Amino acid sequence: MSYKGKTILFDCGIHPACSEMNFHLDHAASLPYFLEKTTFKGRVFMTHATKAIYKLFLSDYVKVSKVSVEDMLYDEQDILRFMDKIEVIDFHQTLEVNGIRFWCYTAGHVLGAAMFMVDIAGVRVLYTGDYSRKEDRHLRAAEILQFSPDICIIESTYGVQLHQPRNVREKRFTDVIHSTISQGGCVLIPDEYWSNHPELHNIPIYYASPLAKRCMAVYQTYINSMNERICNQFANSNPFDFKHISTLKSIENFNDVGPSVVMASPNGLQSGLSRQLFETWCSDKKNACVIPGYVVEGTLAKTIINEPKEVTLMNGLTAPLNMQVHYISFSLMQILHRQVCS
């Protein structure tokens, strides 16, 4: 955005279908390239939590990227140099750089997400990527601003869609779980539901994402960013200690006998453990694949939502798609609400 001789870059991401994206990276994965490989000499600001978790995702992106070394936008050394250049900002803290004043508000959505208000010569611009005006199970809702901006720039992924109430989606999700487990199949499941249904406790549940395990340490560090329920619970016990879930490091460590529950990444099913498990399970009608979040064109997850009769495997062969496929979005992208800028 350019105004009165000032230029601000709000977003510098990579399209999710071009790589195995995780949250934040579709908005900021190109920043190391921008700072290390171009002539840009400006300053970069993030919230504390975003900077902490962002480095983990960048390093993972470099490790799992399937492009050749020559075609990589940057490497681990570029990331290390780049991270030292990122400056942090607290929510509601006002900073000024070259006559540009800016501050940020809580956006909900994911840990660290912020809505930025920028003031240039008295003109106020609100920029936000994904946000949520509904409090979820661990984060607060996006803040209601005390005044209206002159210009509002908002992520529009769900801009014209209405979501079902969360309790309706959760019931659909848990109904799939029970029906699939009862017929000996494999499915995904949330920890809280698991703890409230002891009849399922003999069914193994796994989380197949070493990255997510590392990120849990960041979530616990910024516990004060969570909603009131989580903050109160943390005073007595760790809400991020999932006692019913085991870590699954690789498919070689997985005893695929009988019904089980696996939450695996990446969510697009393009590669990695989620793709391996999908190819193992997709031809058996007892199994189910629940896609719980936003998926983009060009990914396998997007393809199977339309329930084709067969899918192409990583080795180029085809296999019948007999497993159940359920798209029940718990994506934390924005839920538009009139009060955000009232």
Side-chain angles (χ1 to χ4, degrees), residues 135-183:
E135 182 175 296
D136 64 27
R137 290 190 174 273
H138 66 293
L139 288 174
R140 302 166 185 163
E143 293 182 72
I144 298 175
L145 309 189
Q146 299 304 309
F147 53 85
S148 296
D150 299 293
I151 300 171
C152 197
I153 304 172
I154 301 177
E155 170 96 11
S156 59
T157 304
Y158 289 142
V160 294
Q161 296 184 28
L162 293 176
H163 290 269
Q164 290 180 321
R166 188 179 70 186
N167 63 326
V168 174
R169 286 175 283 148
E170 288 181 350
K171 187 177 188 307
R172 289 175 56 207
F173 192 63
T174 52
D175 284 348
V176 170
I177 291 162
H178 251 109
S179 64
T180 305
I181 292 296
S182 65
Q183 62 185 9

Side-chain angles (χ1 to χ4, degrees), residues 15 20 34-35 39 48 75 87 108-109 141 159 162 166 182 208 217 220 222 246 250 252 258 262-263 280 311 328:
H15 193 281
E20 295 305 333
F34 191 60
L35 264 69
T39 58
H48 291 266
D75 57 26
E87 302 176 58
H109 177 52
L162 293 176
R166 188 179 70 186
S182 65
Q220 293 171 62
Y222 294 95
S246 302
S250 68
E252 288 76 22
V262 181
M263 294 182 286
T280 301
V311 291
I328 308 173

Side-chain angles (χ1 to χ4, degrees), residues 61-101:
Y61 164 62
V62 169
K63 291 175 184 177
V64 304
S65 180
K66 294 183 292 185
V67 302
S68 64
V69 174
E70 293 77 15
D71 292 331
M72 283 292 293
L73 291 176
Y74 46 82
D75 57 26
E76 190 71 34
Q77 292 303 311
D78 292 323
I79 295 173
L80 293 175
R81 289 191 297 269
F82 157 74
M83 292 302 298
D84 288 337
K85 299 176 182 178
I86 297 176
E87 302 176 58
V88 292
I89 181 173
D90 293 318
F91 290 103
H92 308 134
Q93 176 188 6
T94 300
L95 296 177
E96 183 169 340
V97 177
N98 298 328
I100 303 172
R101 295 176 63 246

